[in-house]
Amino acid sequence: MAKKNKKVPKVFRKKIKPKKWKKKILKNIHIPSDKKWIEERFELMDDRMVIKQDLPKEDLKKLKALGKSIKKNKGTVTKWKALILLAIAVLAFLFNYLFKNVLIKKGIETGIESIFEAAGFIENPDLSLSKGSFTFDSLSIQNKDKPDRNLITFGNTAIRINMPELSRNRYHIEEITLQGMQLNSSRTSGDLIDSRGEGSEDSGTPLIDIPDMEEGKEQVLALIEEHKSNLKSLQYIDTANQELEAFTQRWTQTFETTRTGVEDSIKEIKDLGSRGVPSVSSLEDARGVVDEYRGYSDSLLDQKKELESLNAQFNEEKERLLSMKEEVENLIQDDIDYLGTLLQLPGREDVQNFISDKVKEILMTRFQDYYDKAMLVMPYYEKWNASRSGAEENEGGAKRLAGSYIPFPTAEQPRFLIKKIDLSGGDNYSGFFNALVSGITSEPDKLEEPVLLTSAWDNGEARMSLDGFLDLKEDASQLFDISFSSPANPADFGDTLSALGIESAGARLSYTGKSIPHPDEEGVLVSLDMDFADLQITLPDKDDITTRLLRETVAEIKEFMVNAEVHIDSNGIQGLRVQSDADKIIKEKLGDLLKDLPSQGAAELEKYIRELVASELKGSEKINEALDQLGLESLSQIRSIEDLEAQVKAYEDEARSRGEDLLKEAEDRARAEAEKLKAEAEAARKEAEAKAAAEAAKAKAEAEAAAAAAQKAAEEKAKEEASKIKLPGF
Amino acid sequence: MISFISKILVALNSNSRPGELASGIAFGFCLALIPKGNLLWIIIFSIAFLLKHNLAAMLLSLLLFPPLASLMDPLLHNTGQLILTMPAFQSFFTTLYNLPVLPWLKFNNTIVMGAFLWNLILWLPLFFLFRQLVVVYRKKVAPRLAESKLVKSLKKVPWVSKILSAYNKLSFLR
């Protein structure tokens, strides 16, 4: 029996009193039929309720199920659920120590990537729930439009939250310290924060950024460049250059040919010279040599005439081509006139507010830049706002009312408060800044002091300080008031004023400003007082009338003030008004100067056109040199022929001289023969006179006749000899 | 949903306490009435989770009651507004509001406060109502149902009996 009873669940095996049996067993059976069934299975023995013996197998099975359900129904707390909660607590504890910061790092970086659509990097984040602090060593967000640069970077950062206040559902951040903040720094591989502190894209932008206004030169150059294809002078130069080049080629070829002829002649005459003048033994020979030389001489003369003719032709054509230069001059003047009509130079009216207008340009650029930078953040803000409202909408999936929050007075503490933000950063080039913001709150009415802003900026040369407040109380008379000042900044205008003929200008700029809500419209009104003192202006080293007028003008401007007012709202710059006391001086003095500006413009135009033409003419100058060379070559060839002529003439003279010698010798010989015959005749006469003293008359007559006949014969012979050697000039 | 319903059916026909089912439904209603996202809801959920009652009943009612809660929102708001702005309670609520942690309950929200109050009011009636319904079901409906021709004929259908036995065998997995 005992063995069988062992199969009955323990809860039914005990022998208990009826009262306790009802409480412990019967009350825990909630199915009426089961209750009845169990009552039937128990019997009262010795004032105890005992389970019946020898129950069938089916009954034991049902008893087992009922026993289980009775056990299950005991107690009010389920153990396994408590264990789950305990396990969650243990896991939270482990997570805090092992995975918290890793997951925070991953979460922040993923969040940055999703919001900014660019890489984010955070170094050593540490969240301490017990201290209520969050710190990290560095944070950088890549600029999605310029992947090699960061949108923003932070160095050591610490945020400390007031935990007791947090438990009162109030978010009080005691302090936010953000060090090493940099905008637009360069990204380096591995180290995403540019530790060198360089490379802000604006690094080259000085504090007073005056845009390049060298409009005169730029305007002229741009105009010339634009209308270059219409400039007749350049087109003409181009054509002339081509013509000159063809001419040069043609004449180079011609003179090359004549040079060959001249060289042949030189060689020929040289050979002639080396042979020397041949010896002549007779007047016939002498005549032959002289005739030969005359042949050379005639040939050289023809060659010379040919060369001279070519030279004359060359010079004539060259002169015609060179006269094109004069045409170029005329065309340059035409081009200047043409461009002059297109050149729009500032007139007197343009300098009515010269300084104001320039400062207006600068301020417009600068404030537009501020506005554009602020607008860069807007898409992210709008995205965040949209996702926030979307999330709020999603939260109310069951479309429930949000209800309203009844405000209960608290200890005058706002729900959200940042007590202090200490922000510092910058880089070596653009300077370093420190900013302190205190009292940012969602409920400004609960704070006596408004949000206070102070900041200082220093780049080594210039300093700027800013002080202000932001009063967001509902009954605030002035929402905000921010004043800033920057004393003694070096303001270098560079060649900004070159349009006025000023080489360079510099000043010491001190400015103060104020930013307040616009009294009548939406937006902010920024007023700015700029004092440009110790003005130093460098004028060109000239003494023309323009420079003298300019010197006289600027001598009166040692210091000038500029007052500006900018109205800016969410849609951009709505208004910009600038006034300067320098305007009056400029207007009066410089206005006169600008009367001459059109002529200055024309002169400027001419200067640049001439420079342009000069560069275009460089080709023709080379051609000119070649032409001159060709002219020289031609003359040289003519001179060579003349030299050859002289040389041949010398040979001819020598030959003629030798012929003359021969003639003289023949004459002498004939004369000596005549003398001899004369003497013989004299002797014969004397002999006849002696022989025929008697035969005086007869013999005398015969003798005289014989002598006369002999003399006549000698003379005729001599004449005949002489006539054989008939040379020109003899 | 089907799983919850089958579990509830099993609980109805098993030897579980009628109060377990009733408190599960009452807590589900409670949680459905209170807007989520505040400490009060988390506390009530944690209590409900820890207490021994039918979890399936609680989760099913948590799923079924929100539309009813949306309909009740104006009532909850008005009730919450009435209580929260009652001058007599101002100092009490101010004290509560300035205590640590309690503001996280968001009790100063009219809907939360209204829901909380209506929960206090309705919890016991709901509990007893559903408890009584379970008792009545077990006493009168269940035996008749078990004896009904429909159930008997259904039990005879082979695939029904197979599904039931398979379900019983695999119920430990749930």
Side-chain angles (χ1 to χ4, degrees):
Chain A
M1 190 184 79
K3 198 177 179 182
K4 278 189 178 177
N5 253 355
K6 274 185 182 175
K7 289 184 178 176
V8 176
K10 200 178 176 183
V11 70
F12 299 119
R13 266 186 276 165
K14 291 176 184 173
K15 293 174 183 177
I16 48 176
K17 285 182 177 177
K19 201 178 171 184
K20 201 176 178 182
W21 175 78
K22 275 185 181 172
K23 190 186 170 188
K24 279 203 162 185
I25 294 171
L26 215 55
K27 252 192 163 181
N28 282 321
I29 295 170
H30 304 286
I31 306 284
S33 58
D34 289 345
K35 214 177 242 186
K36 198 179 172 187
W37 184 86
I38 208 88
E39 277 174 340
E40 287 168 359
R41 301 297 181 277
F42 275 84
E43 56 190 359
L44 191 63
M45 285 179 68
D46 303 327
D47 199 26
R48 293 277 195 277
M49 290 303 288
V50 182
I51 189 107
K52 286 179 180 174
Q53 303 297 320
D54 302 325
L55 289 171
K57 223 175 184 178
E58 290 78 28
D59 286 2
L60 286 172
K61 207 175 176 182
K62 190 164 184 175
L63 277 175
K64 200 176 175 183
L66 281 171
K68 266 188 182 177
S69 68
I70 288 168
K71 200 178 172 186
K72 197 181 168 189
N73 286 338
K74 278 181 183 173
T76 51
V77 176
T78 317
K79 281 180 189 170
W80 64 268
K81 290 177 184 173
L83 284 172
I84 286 175
L85 286 180
L86 190 69
I88 289 169
V90 170
L91 283 174
F93 183 78
L94 287 173
F95 166 79
N96 186 45
Y97 279 93
L98 299 175
F99 309 111
K100 177 188 67 184
N101 290 336
V102 178
L103 287 177
I104 284 172
K105 181 179 166 66
K106 195 77 189 162
I108 288 174
E109 287 177 354
T110 311
I112 288 171
E113 277 166 28
S114 117
I115 294 166
F116 294 94
E117 293 167 12
F121 175 78
I122 186 165
E123 195 179 5
N124 297 332
D126 182 35
L127 175 72
S128 170
L129 292 172
S130 57
K131 291 177 191 166
S133 69
F134 177 64
T135 61
F136 57 81
D137 289 348
S138 68
L139 170 79
S140 66
I141 302 168
Q142 187 187 31
N143 186 336
K144 72 168 179 178
D145 298 323
K146 295 174 186 169
D148 59 329
R149 305 198 81 80
N150 287 313
L151 192 69
I152 195 167
T153 54
F154 291 105
N156 284 326
T157 296
I159 299 165
R160 191 160 53 83
I161 195 164
N162 186 325
M163 291 304 276
E165 289 294 336
L166 189 66
S167 71
R168 290 186 181 90
N169 205 22
R170 291 196 285 253
Y171 304 93
H172 286 195
I173 297 169
E174 295 291 320
E175 189 174 355
I176 300 176
T177 306
L178 297 161
Q179 292 177 347
M181 180 189 159
Q182 281 185 41
L183 289 168
N184 203 25
S185 60
S186 65
R187 284 172 72 84
T188 52
S189 58
D191 178 16
L192 296 175
I193 289 181
D194 185 5
S195 55
R196 293 170 297 174
E198 63 172 358
S200 167
E201 195 175 49
D202 295 333
S203 59
T205 310
L207 177 66
I208 306 300
D209 179 19
I210 300 172
D212 182 14
M213 295 191 292
E214 199 183 2
E215 282 178 358
K217 184 179 173 184
E218 292 297 325
Q219 197 180 353
V220 168
L221 289 178
L223 189 72
I224 292 174
E225 194 57 39
E226 189 184 345
H227 294 276
K228 207 172 174 178
S229 57
N230 298 331
L231 296 182
K232 290 175 188 169
S233 56
L234 296 182
Q235 289 171 359
Y236 188 79
I237 287 165
D238 199 34
T239 316
N241 278 346
Q242 286 176 6
E243 216 171 310
L244 275 168
E245 204 170 332
F247 171 78
T248 311
Q249 277 182 357
R250 182 156 55 83
W251 278 102
T252 306
Q253 226 166 3
T254 307
F255 286 128
E256 201 64 40
T257 315
T258 54
R259 159 63 58 193
T260 315
V262 171
E263 279 172 0
D264 289 347
S265 298
I266 289 169
K267 197 180 172 190
E268 202 175 356
I269 301 303
K270 200 177 173 184
D271 289 346
L272 194 68
S274 65
R275 285 202 304 272
V277 179
S279 57
V280 286
S281 52
S282 64
L283 285 173
E284 284 294 325
D285 291 345
R287 194 180 292 126
V289 171
V290 169
D291 286 344
E292 188 187 351
Y293 285 148
R294 178 155 292 171
Y296 283 118
S297 191
D298 290 345
S299 164
L300 287 172
L301 192 64
D302 292 344
Q303 204 172 358
K304 184 185 166 189
K305 276 179 186 170
E306 191 189 347
L307 285 174
E308 279 173 345
S309 158
L310 283 172
N311 183 260
Q313 197 184 338
F314 168 77
N315 282 330
E316 193 184 332
E317 284 188 41
K318 184 186 164 191
E319 284 306 314
R320 186 180 64 78
L321 286 171
L322 291 179
S323 70
M324 291 170 101
K325 276 191 175 177
E326 287 171 19
E327 186 61 24
V328 169
E329 277 297 319
N330 294 333
L331 290 172
I332 285 174
Q333 205 51 52
D334 288 349
D335 287 342
I336 290 167
D337 293 343
Y338 163 68
L339 290 172
T341 58
L342 301 172
L343 185 66
Q344 291 172 343
L345 290 166
R348 271 176 83 103
E349 61 283 359
D350 293 318
V351 293
Q352 293 285 322
N353 302 302
F354 184 80
I355 293 291
S356 307
D357 290 345
K358 291 295 171 200
V359 174
K360 195 182 264 187
E361 271 180 48
I362 296 160
L363 291 177
M364 183 63 95
T365 311
R366 183 47 67 102
F367 275 89
Q368 191 62 43
D369 185 44
Y370 293 151
Y371 176 78
D372 291 343
K373 276 181 180 164
M375 284 299 109
L376 280 176
V377 186
M378 284 308 286
Y380 299 113
Y381 171 75
E382 281 167 4
K383 193 177 166 186
W384 172 76
N385 213 19
S387 65
R388 194 166 147 251
S389 55
E392 277 171 6
E393 280 169 18
N394 290 337
E395 268 178 22
K399 292 174 188 170
R400 297 197 58 177
L401 292 179
S404 58
Y405 287 88
I406 306 297
F408 293 106
T410 62
E412 288 306 314
Q413 291 291 324
R415 186 144 181 258
F416 179 83
L417 171 68
I418 300 173
K419 286 187 180 171
K420 194 170 92 174
I421 300 175
D422 193 350
L423 187 66
S424 61
D427 53 55
N428 288 328
Y429 192 88
S430 59
F432 293 91
F433 70 90
N434 282 300
L436 200 66
V437 185
S438 59
I440 295 178
T441 177
S442 60
E443 294 166 280
D445 290 308
K446 289 183 179 172
L447 279 187
E448 283 183 15
E449 289 289 322
V451 181
L452 296 174
L453 317 157
T454 58
S455 83
W457 175 88
D458 190 348
N459 81 338
E461 284 187 343
R463 299 184 307 282
M464 193 182 85
S465 61
L466 180 146
D467 284 286
F469 67 84
L470 201 66
D471 197 344
L472 300 173
K473 290 189 187 81
E474 277 186 20
D475 58 346
S477 56
Q478 177 94 357
L479 285 179
F480 58 88
D481 186 317
I482 297 164
S483 55
F484 45 92
S485 77
S486 182
N489 296 287
D492 183 9
F493 292 84
D495 53 0
T496 304
L497 304 175
S498 61
L500 298 178
I502 293 171
E503 276 189 351
S504 66
R508 189 164 49 82
L509 168 64
S510 302
Y511 62 92
T512 55
K514 212 172 178 91
S515 179
I516 54 169
H518 197 287
D520 305 318
E521 295 171 47
E522 187 216 346
V524 182
L525 194 66
V526 182
S527 57
L528 196 63
D529 296 329
M530 303 164 86
D531 181 7
F532 291 87
D534 297 343
L535 205 61
Q536 289 182 341
I537 292 175
T538 311
L539 294 171
D541 190 18
K542 291 181 198 166
D543 196 30
D544 55 13
I545 187 164
T546 311
T547 313
R548 279 205 302 277
L549 270 170
L550 201 58
R551 195 167 285 127
E552 195 182 320
T553 305
V554 298
E556 293 197 18
I557 314 173
K558 286 290 174 207
E559 181 174 1
F560 66 89
M561 295 285 296
V562 177
N563 310 108
E565 258 190 10
V566 188
H567 173 208
I568 186 163
D569 68 8
S570 56
N571 297 317
I573 298 168
Q574 298 301 317
L576 176 60
R577 191 169 56 78
V578 180
Q579 280 183 327
S580 172
D581 57 1
D583 285 342
K584 195 182 168 192
I585 305 167
I586 297 279
K587 190 160 56 185
E588 286 175 1
K589 295 284 180 185
L590 208 60
D592 295 335
L593 175 70
L594 287 175
K595 273 185 192 170
D596 301 327
L597 204 58
S599 59
Q600 280 183 35
E604 192 82 352
L605 205 56
E606 186 172 353
K607 183 185 161 195
Y608 290 114
I609 285 190
R610 288 207 177 280
E611 279 177 11
L612 198 64
V613 166
S615 67
E616 294 288 328
L617 281 173
K618 270 182 185 170
S620 73
E621 277 173 12
K622 281 182 184 172
I623 293 171
N624 282 346
E625 283 175 20
L627 288 179
D628 289 344
Q629 205 64 39
L630 282 174
L632 289 174
E633 169 69 23
S634 168
L635 288 173
S636 153
Q637 288 179 15
I638 291 169
R639 277 193 210 101
S640 301
I641 296 297
E642 281 173 353
D643 289 346
L644 292 176
E645 268 186 319
Q647 213 172 333
V648 170
K649 196 166 187 320
Y651 296 151
E652 191 183 329
D653 288 348
E654 195 179 339
R656 188 175 287 129
S657 162
R658 287 188 187 179
E660 279 173 3
D661 289 348
L662 279 173
L663 184 61
K664 199 178 172 187
E665 196 181 333
E667 273 182 346
D668 288 347
R669 243 193 343 265
R671 206 169 279 123
E673 193 75 19
E675 283 297 320
K676 193 180 172 184
L677 288 172
K678 195 178 175 183
E680 282 175 359
E682 188 65 30
R685 188 183 59 90
K686 279 177 182 177
E687 192 183 345
E689 277 177 348
K691 267 184 184 175
E695 302 174 302
K698 190 181 173 186
K700 190 181 176 183
E702 283 176 4
E704 279 175 356
Q711 193 173 357
K712 196 177 174 183
E715 280 172 357
E716 280 174 3
K717 192 180 181 185
K719 271 178 191 172
E720 192 184 345
E721 286 292 321
S723 68
K724 280 180 186 172
I725 315 166
K726 194 172 185 181
L727 295 171
F730 288 92
Chain B
M1 179 82 89
I2 292 165
S3 169
F4 290 156
I5 292 167
S6 64
K7 277 187 178 179
I8 290 168
L9 285 174
V10 168
L12 272 174
N13 294 297
S14 70
N15 187 33
S16 62
R17 285 183 300 187
E20 275 186 27
L21 273 165
S23 74
I25 293 167
F27 269 115
F29 175 79
C30 218
L31 288 167
L33 217 56
I34 295 173
K36 295 177 201 72
N38 56 70
L39 189 61
L40 183 67
W41 192 93
I42 295 167
I43 290 169
I44 293 174
F45 181 83
S46 304
I47 292 167
F49 182 76
L50 277 173
L51 287 178
K52 188 174 273 186
H53 56 219
N54 193 288
L55 205 60
M58 185 183 90
L59 293 174
L60 186 68
S61 58
L62 192 55
L63 282 173
L64 294 175
F65 283 124
L68 179 66
S70 302
L71 292 174
M72 285 179 72
D73 272 349
L75 174 69
L76 303 180
H77 170 72
N78 290 335
T79 313
Q81 179 108 20
L82 183 73
I83 296 296
L84 287 166
T85 53
M86 247 182 208
F89 293 131
Q90 285 304 294
S91 61
F92 171 68
F93 285 134
T94 304
T95 311
L96 284 186
Y97 192 73
N98 285 288
L99 284 173
V101 181
L102 289 190
W104 291 353
L105 298 173
K106 287 193 179 172
F107 67 86
N108 62 330
N109 182 284
T110 51
I111 300 276
V112 175
M113 178 53 83
F116 180 68
L117 283 175
W118 278 106
N119 276 334
L120 288 181
I121 295 164
L122 290 176
W123 196 90
L124 277 174
L126 279 174
F127 173 77
F128 284 116
L129 172 70
F130 284 111
R131 188 175 179 277
Q132 200 53 41
L133 281 173
V134 173
V135 170
V136 169
Y137 169 82
R138 284 178 175 171
K139 204 169 184 178
K140 296 192 172 170
V141 183
R144 284 185 188 178
L145 214 60
E147 291 303 315
S148 71
K149 286 178 183 175
L150 179 73
V151 173
K152 279 183 177 174
S153 56
L154 269 176
K155 278 183 179 177
K156 282 176 186 170
V157 177
W159 60 269
V160 174
S161 59
K162 276 183 184 176
I163 287 171
L164 283 174
S165 65
Y167 178 80
N168 287 331
K169 279 178 187 174
L170 295 170
S171 61
F172 69 91
L173 292 173
R174 293 170 182 272

